[in-house]
Short mmCIF file of all heavy atoms in Angstrom, two decimals:
data_model
loop_
_atom_site.label_atom_id
_atom_site.label_comp_id
_atom_site.label_asym_id
_atom_site.label_seq_id
_atom_site.Cartn_x
_atom_site.Cartn_y
_atom_site.Cartn_z
N HIS A 1169 -34.80 2.26 -72.59
CA HIS A 1169 -35.15 1.45 -71.43
C HIS A 1169 -34.58 2.00 -70.12
O HIS A 1169 -35.25 1.99 -69.09
CB HIS A 1169 -34.68 0.01 -71.63
CG HIS A 1169 -35.42 -0.71 -72.71
ND1 HIS A 1169 -35.00 -1.91 -73.24
CD2 HIS A 1169 -36.57 -0.39 -73.37
CE1 HIS A 1169 -35.85 -2.30 -74.18
NE2 HIS A 1169 -36.81 -1.40 -74.27
N SER A 1170 -33.34 2.47 -70.15
CA SER A 1170 -32.72 2.97 -68.92
C SER A 1170 -33.44 4.22 -68.42
O SER A 1170 -33.64 4.39 -67.21
CB SER A 1170 -31.23 3.26 -69.15
OG SER A 1170 -31.07 4.25 -70.15
N ILE A 1171 -33.82 5.10 -69.34
CA ILE A 1171 -34.56 6.30 -68.95
C ILE A 1171 -35.93 5.91 -68.39
O ILE A 1171 -36.38 6.45 -67.37
CB ILE A 1171 -34.73 7.27 -70.13
CG1 ILE A 1171 -33.36 7.79 -70.58
CG2 ILE A 1171 -35.65 8.43 -69.78
CD1 ILE A 1171 -33.42 8.68 -71.81
N LEU A 1172 -36.60 4.98 -69.04
CA LEU A 1172 -37.92 4.54 -68.59
C LEU A 1172 -37.85 3.96 -67.18
O LEU A 1172 -38.65 4.30 -66.31
CB LEU A 1172 -38.49 3.51 -69.56
CG LEU A 1172 -39.78 2.81 -69.13
CD1 LEU A 1172 -40.91 3.81 -68.89
CD2 LEU A 1172 -40.20 1.77 -70.16
N LEU A 1173 -36.88 3.07 -66.92
CA LEU A 1173 -36.77 2.43 -65.62
C LEU A 1173 -36.44 3.45 -64.53
O LEU A 1173 -36.97 3.38 -63.41
CB LEU A 1173 -35.70 1.34 -65.67
CG LEU A 1173 -36.07 0.11 -66.52
CD1 LEU A 1173 -34.86 -0.79 -66.71
CD2 LEU A 1173 -37.23 -0.67 -65.88
N THR A 1174 -35.58 4.41 -64.85
CA THR A 1174 -35.26 5.47 -63.89
C THR A 1174 -36.48 6.30 -63.57
O THR A 1174 -36.75 6.65 -62.41
CB THR A 1174 -34.15 6.38 -64.45
OG1 THR A 1174 -32.96 5.61 -64.67
CG2 THR A 1174 -33.83 7.51 -63.48
N ARG A 1175 -37.29 6.58 -64.59
CA ARG A 1175 -38.50 7.39 -64.41
C ARG A 1175 -39.56 6.62 -63.61
O ARG A 1175 -40.27 7.19 -62.78
CB ARG A 1175 -39.03 7.81 -65.77
CG ARG A 1175 -40.16 8.82 -65.74
CD ARG A 1175 -40.24 9.55 -67.07
NE ARG A 1175 -39.07 10.39 -67.28
CZ ARG A 1175 -38.64 10.81 -68.47
NH1 ARG A 1175 -39.31 10.46 -69.56
NH2 ARG A 1175 -37.58 11.57 -68.57
N LEU A 1176 -39.68 5.33 -63.86
CA LEU A 1176 -40.64 4.52 -63.10
C LEU A 1176 -40.31 4.56 -61.61
O LEU A 1176 -41.21 4.61 -60.76
CB LEU A 1176 -40.62 3.07 -63.60
CG LEU A 1176 -41.19 2.81 -65.00
CD1 LEU A 1176 -41.05 1.34 -65.35
CD2 LEU A 1176 -42.64 3.25 -65.12
N ASP A 1177 -39.03 4.57 -61.30
CA ASP A 1177 -38.58 4.61 -59.90
C ASP A 1177 -38.76 6.00 -59.30
O ASP A 1177 -39.47 6.18 -58.30
CB ASP A 1177 -37.11 4.18 -59.84
CG ASP A 1177 -36.56 4.18 -58.41
OD1 ASP A 1177 -37.27 4.61 -57.48
OD2 ASP A 1177 -35.42 3.77 -58.22
N SER A 1178 -38.15 7.00 -59.92
CA SER A 1178 -38.09 8.33 -59.30
C SER A 1178 -39.39 9.10 -59.38
O SER A 1178 -39.75 9.82 -58.45
CB SER A 1178 -36.97 9.15 -59.97
OG SER A 1178 -37.24 9.33 -61.35
N THR A 1179 -40.13 8.96 -60.47
CA THR A 1179 -41.35 9.75 -60.66
C THR A 1179 -42.61 9.01 -60.24
O THR A 1179 -43.55 9.63 -59.73
CB THR A 1179 -41.48 10.18 -62.14
OG1 THR A 1179 -40.28 10.84 -62.55
CG2 THR A 1179 -42.67 11.11 -62.34
N PHE A 1180 -42.63 7.69 -60.41
CA PHE A 1180 -43.86 6.94 -60.16
C PHE A 1180 -43.76 5.94 -59.00
O PHE A 1180 -44.72 5.22 -58.73
CB PHE A 1180 -44.29 6.21 -61.44
CG PHE A 1180 -44.57 7.15 -62.58
CD1 PHE A 1180 -43.63 7.36 -63.58
CD2 PHE A 1180 -45.76 7.86 -62.63
CE1 PHE A 1180 -43.88 8.25 -64.62
CE2 PHE A 1180 -46.02 8.75 -63.67
CZ PHE A 1180 -45.07 8.95 -64.66
N GLY A 1181 -42.61 5.89 -58.33
CA GLY A 1181 -42.51 5.07 -57.12
C GLY A 1181 -42.61 3.59 -57.33
O GLY A 1181 -43.09 2.85 -56.46
N ILE A 1182 -42.16 3.10 -58.48
CA ILE A 1182 -42.17 1.66 -58.77
C ILE A 1182 -40.77 1.13 -58.46
O ILE A 1182 -39.80 1.48 -59.14
CB ILE A 1182 -42.56 1.39 -60.23
CG1 ILE A 1182 -43.96 1.94 -60.49
CG2 ILE A 1182 -42.49 -0.09 -60.56
CD1 ILE A 1182 -44.38 1.89 -61.94
N ARG A 1183 -40.65 0.29 -57.44
CA ARG A 1183 -39.34 -0.07 -56.91
C ARG A 1183 -39.25 -1.57 -56.59
O ARG A 1183 -40.21 -2.31 -56.68
CB ARG A 1183 -39.04 0.77 -55.66
CG ARG A 1183 -38.91 2.26 -55.99
CD ARG A 1183 -39.00 3.14 -54.79
NE ARG A 1183 -39.00 4.55 -55.21
CZ ARG A 1183 -39.34 5.56 -54.43
NH1 ARG A 1183 -39.70 5.34 -53.19
NH2 ARG A 1183 -39.34 6.80 -54.90
N ASP A 1184 -38.04 -1.97 -56.22
CA ASP A 1184 -37.76 -3.32 -55.74
C ASP A 1184 -38.25 -4.38 -56.74
O ASP A 1184 -37.94 -4.30 -57.93
CB ASP A 1184 -38.38 -3.54 -54.35
CG ASP A 1184 -37.82 -2.54 -53.33
OD1 ASP A 1184 -36.70 -2.06 -53.54
OD2 ASP A 1184 -38.51 -2.25 -52.34
N LEU A 1185 -39.05 -5.36 -56.28
CA LEU A 1185 -39.47 -6.45 -57.16
C LEU A 1185 -40.34 -5.96 -58.31
O LEU A 1185 -40.28 -6.51 -59.42
CB LEU A 1185 -40.22 -7.52 -56.36
CG LEU A 1185 -39.38 -8.62 -55.72
CD1 LEU A 1185 -40.27 -9.55 -54.93
CD2 LEU A 1185 -38.60 -9.39 -56.78
N ALA A 1186 -41.16 -4.94 -58.06
CA ALA A 1186 -42.01 -4.40 -59.13
C ALA A 1186 -41.14 -3.81 -60.25
O ALA A 1186 -41.40 -4.03 -61.44
CB ALA A 1186 -42.95 -3.34 -58.57
N LEU A 1187 -40.11 -3.07 -59.86
CA LEU A 1187 -39.21 -2.49 -60.87
C LEU A 1187 -38.41 -3.59 -61.56
O LEU A 1187 -38.17 -3.53 -62.77
CB LEU A 1187 -38.26 -1.49 -60.21
CG LEU A 1187 -37.37 -0.69 -61.16
CD1 LEU A 1187 -38.22 0.18 -62.09
CD2 LEU A 1187 -36.39 0.19 -60.38
N SER A 1188 -38.03 -4.63 -60.81
CA SER A 1188 -37.31 -5.77 -61.41
C SER A 1188 -38.17 -6.45 -62.46
O SER A 1188 -37.66 -6.92 -63.49
CB SER A 1188 -36.91 -6.77 -60.32
OG SER A 1188 -35.99 -6.20 -59.41
N PHE A 1189 -39.48 -6.53 -62.19
CA PHE A 1189 -40.38 -7.14 -63.16
C PHE A 1189 -40.36 -6.37 -64.47
O PHE A 1189 -40.25 -6.96 -65.56
CB PHE A 1189 -41.81 -7.20 -62.61
CG PHE A 1189 -42.82 -7.70 -63.60
CD1 PHE A 1189 -43.10 -9.05 -63.69
CD2 PHE A 1189 -43.48 -6.83 -64.46
CE1 PHE A 1189 -44.02 -9.53 -64.62
CE2 PHE A 1189 -44.40 -7.30 -65.39
CZ PHE A 1189 -44.67 -8.64 -65.46
N PHE A 1190 -40.47 -5.04 -64.40
CA PHE A 1190 -40.48 -4.24 -65.62
C PHE A 1190 -39.12 -4.29 -66.32
O PHE A 1190 -39.06 -4.27 -67.55
CB PHE A 1190 -40.87 -2.80 -65.31
CG PHE A 1190 -42.33 -2.63 -65.00
CD1 PHE A 1190 -42.77 -2.33 -63.72
CD2 PHE A 1190 -43.28 -2.80 -66.00
CE1 PHE A 1190 -44.12 -2.19 -63.44
CE2 PHE A 1190 -44.64 -2.67 -65.73
CZ PHE A 1190 -45.05 -2.36 -64.45
N ARG A 1191 -38.05 -4.36 -65.55
CA ARG A 1191 -36.72 -4.50 -66.16
C ARG A 1191 -36.63 -5.82 -66.92
O ARG A 1191 -36.14 -5.87 -68.05
CB ARG A 1191 -35.63 -4.41 -65.09
CG ARG A 1191 -34.22 -4.51 -65.66
CD ARG A 1191 -33.16 -4.41 -64.58
NE ARG A 1191 -33.13 -3.08 -63.98
CZ ARG A 1191 -33.57 -2.80 -62.76
NH1 ARG A 1191 -34.10 -3.76 -62.00
NH2 ARG A 1191 -33.50 -1.56 -62.30
N SER A 1192 -37.11 -6.88 -66.29
CA SER A 1192 -37.10 -8.19 -66.93
C SER A 1192 -38.02 -8.21 -68.15
O SER A 1192 -37.69 -8.81 -69.18
CB SER A 1192 -37.55 -9.26 -65.93
OG SER A 1192 -37.66 -10.52 -66.54
N TYR A 1193 -39.15 -7.52 -68.05
CA TYR A 1193 -40.10 -7.45 -69.16
C TYR A 1193 -39.48 -6.78 -70.38
O TYR A 1193 -39.72 -7.19 -71.53
CB TYR A 1193 -41.35 -6.69 -68.71
CG TYR A 1193 -42.33 -6.41 -69.82
CD1 TYR A 1193 -43.22 -7.38 -70.26
CD2 TYR A 1193 -42.39 -5.15 -70.43
CE1 TYR A 1193 -44.13 -7.12 -71.28
CE2 TYR A 1193 -43.30 -4.88 -71.44
CZ TYR A 1193 -44.16 -5.87 -71.86
OH TYR A 1193 -45.04 -5.60 -72.88
N LEU A 1194 -38.66 -5.76 -70.16
CA LEU A 1194 -38.09 -4.99 -71.27
C LEU A 1194 -36.85 -5.63 -71.87
O LEU A 1194 -36.60 -5.50 -73.08
CB LEU A 1194 -37.74 -3.58 -70.78
CG LEU A 1194 -38.92 -2.68 -70.36
CD1 LEU A 1194 -38.40 -1.45 -69.63
CD2 LEU A 1194 -39.75 -2.28 -71.56
N GLN A 1195 -36.07 -6.31 -71.07
CA GLN A 1195 -34.78 -6.81 -71.52
C GLN A 1195 -34.90 -8.11 -72.31
O GLN A 1195 -35.81 -8.91 -72.09
CB GLN A 1195 -33.85 -7.02 -70.33
CG GLN A 1195 -33.41 -5.73 -69.66
CD GLN A 1195 -32.55 -5.99 -68.43
OE1 GLN A 1195 -32.53 -7.08 -67.88
NE2 GLN A 1195 -31.84 -4.95 -67.99
N ASP A 1196 -33.96 -8.28 -73.23
CA ASP A 1196 -33.80 -9.54 -73.98
C ASP A 1196 -35.04 -9.94 -74.78
O ASP A 1196 -35.32 -11.12 -74.97
CB ASP A 1196 -33.41 -10.69 -73.03
CG ASP A 1196 -32.14 -10.40 -72.26
OD1 ASP A 1196 -31.21 -9.82 -72.86
OD2 ASP A 1196 -32.07 -10.73 -71.07
N ARG A 1197 -35.77 -8.96 -75.27
CA ARG A 1197 -36.92 -9.25 -76.13
C ARG A 1197 -36.43 -9.44 -77.57
O ARG A 1197 -35.49 -8.78 -78.02
CB ARG A 1197 -37.95 -8.12 -76.08
CG ARG A 1197 -38.52 -7.84 -74.71
CD ARG A 1197 -39.78 -7.00 -74.80
NE ARG A 1197 -40.89 -7.79 -75.31
CZ ARG A 1197 -41.78 -8.42 -74.54
NH1 ARG A 1197 -41.67 -8.35 -73.22
NH2 ARG A 1197 -42.75 -9.12 -75.07
N THR A 1198 -37.09 -10.33 -78.29
CA THR A 1198 -36.74 -10.58 -79.69
C THR A 1198 -38.00 -10.52 -80.54
O THR A 1198 -39.12 -10.63 -80.03
CB THR A 1198 -36.08 -11.96 -79.88
OG1 THR A 1198 -37.00 -12.98 -79.45
CG2 THR A 1198 -34.79 -12.05 -79.08
N GLN A 1199 -37.80 -10.35 -81.83
CA GLN A 1199 -38.93 -10.35 -82.75
C GLN A 1199 -38.51 -10.87 -84.11
O GLN A 1199 -37.33 -10.79 -84.49
CB GLN A 1199 -39.51 -8.94 -82.90
CG GLN A 1199 -38.60 -7.95 -83.62
CD GLN A 1199 -39.23 -6.59 -83.80
OE1 GLN A 1199 -40.09 -6.18 -83.03
NE2 GLN A 1199 -38.79 -5.86 -84.81
N VAL A 1200 -39.46 -11.41 -84.83
CA VAL A 1200 -39.28 -11.78 -86.23
C VAL A 1200 -40.37 -11.09 -87.03
O VAL A 1200 -41.45 -10.80 -86.49
CB VAL A 1200 -39.34 -13.31 -86.45
CG1 VAL A 1200 -38.21 -14.01 -85.72
CG2 VAL A 1200 -40.70 -13.85 -86.01
N VAL A 1201 -40.10 -10.81 -88.27
CA VAL A 1201 -41.07 -10.15 -89.15
C VAL A 1201 -41.53 -11.15 -90.20
O VAL A 1201 -40.70 -11.84 -90.81
CB VAL A 1201 -40.47 -8.90 -89.82
CG1 VAL A 1201 -41.50 -8.24 -90.73
CG2 VAL A 1201 -39.98 -7.91 -88.77
N THR A 1202 -42.85 -11.24 -90.38
CA THR A 1202 -43.39 -12.13 -91.40
C THR A 1202 -44.16 -11.31 -92.44
O THR A 1202 -44.98 -10.48 -92.09
CB THR A 1202 -44.34 -13.17 -90.79
OG1 THR A 1202 -45.43 -12.50 -90.16
CG2 THR A 1202 -43.62 -14.02 -89.76
N VAL A 1203 -43.83 -11.55 -93.69
CA VAL A 1203 -44.50 -10.89 -94.82
C VAL A 1203 -44.74 -11.93 -95.90
O VAL A 1203 -43.80 -12.57 -96.37
CB VAL A 1203 -43.66 -9.72 -95.38
CG1 VAL A 1203 -44.37 -9.08 -96.57
CG2 VAL A 1203 -43.38 -8.68 -94.31
N ASN A 1204 -46.00 -12.10 -96.26
CA ASN A 1204 -46.38 -13.06 -97.31
C ASN A 1204 -45.82 -14.45 -97.05
O ASN A 1204 -45.34 -15.15 -97.95
CB ASN A 1204 -45.89 -12.56 -98.68
CG ASN A 1204 -46.55 -11.26 -99.08
OD1 ASN A 1204 -47.70 -11.00 -98.74
ND2 ASN A 1204 -45.82 -10.42 -99.81
N GLY A 1205 -45.87 -14.87 -95.79
CA GLY A 1205 -45.42 -16.21 -95.43
C GLY A 1205 -43.93 -16.36 -95.26
O GLY A 1205 -43.45 -17.45 -94.92
N ILE A 1206 -43.17 -15.31 -95.51
CA ILE A 1206 -41.71 -15.37 -95.36
C ILE A 1206 -41.33 -14.75 -94.03
O ILE A 1206 -41.77 -13.64 -93.70
CB ILE A 1206 -41.00 -14.63 -96.51
CG1 ILE A 1206 -41.41 -15.25 -97.85
CG2 ILE A 1206 -39.49 -14.67 -96.35
CD1 ILE A 1206 -40.86 -14.51 -99.05
N LYS A 1207 -40.50 -15.47 -93.26
CA LYS A 1207 -40.14 -15.03 -91.92
C LYS A 1207 -38.67 -14.65 -91.85
O LYS A 1207 -37.80 -15.33 -92.39
CB LYS A 1207 -40.45 -16.15 -90.91
CG LYS A 1207 -40.20 -15.77 -89.47
CD LYS A 1207 -40.79 -16.79 -88.51
CE LYS A 1207 -40.14 -18.15 -88.67
NZ LYS A 1207 -40.65 -19.11 -87.65
N SER A 1208 -38.40 -13.52 -91.18
CA SER A 1208 -37.03 -13.06 -91.01
C SER A 1208 -36.34 -13.83 -89.88
O SER A 1208 -36.98 -14.57 -89.14
CB SER A 1208 -37.01 -11.56 -90.70
OG SER A 1208 -37.48 -11.33 -89.38
N SER A 1209 -35.05 -13.63 -89.74
CA SER A 1209 -34.33 -14.18 -88.59
C SER A 1209 -34.64 -13.32 -87.37
O SER A 1209 -34.97 -12.15 -87.49
CB SER A 1209 -32.83 -14.19 -88.86
OG SER A 1209 -32.38 -12.88 -89.17
N PRO A 1210 -34.54 -13.88 -86.16
CA PRO A 1210 -34.85 -13.11 -84.94
C PRO A 1210 -33.91 -11.92 -84.75
O PRO A 1210 -32.72 -11.99 -85.06
CB PRO A 1210 -34.67 -14.14 -83.81
CG PRO A 1210 -34.77 -15.47 -84.49
CD PRO A 1210 -34.21 -15.28 -85.86
N SER A 1211 -34.47 -10.83 -84.24
CA SER A 1211 -33.69 -9.63 -83.94
C SER A 1211 -33.88 -9.26 -82.48
O SER A 1211 -34.99 -9.34 -81.95
CB SER A 1211 -34.13 -8.45 -84.83
OG SER A 1211 -33.91 -8.72 -86.19
#
C-alpha cells in the first residue's frame, strides 16, 4: 500500500483529497472466507 500511494502521487499526480480517498479505500479492510456454508473469523 505504501508503494502504491507513493506511486499514485509521484507518477500519476493523484494528490490531496483524491490521494486521501485511495488511502482510506486501502486501509483497514477486512475479509471473511466462506466455504460450504462455513464462515471464517474476520481478517
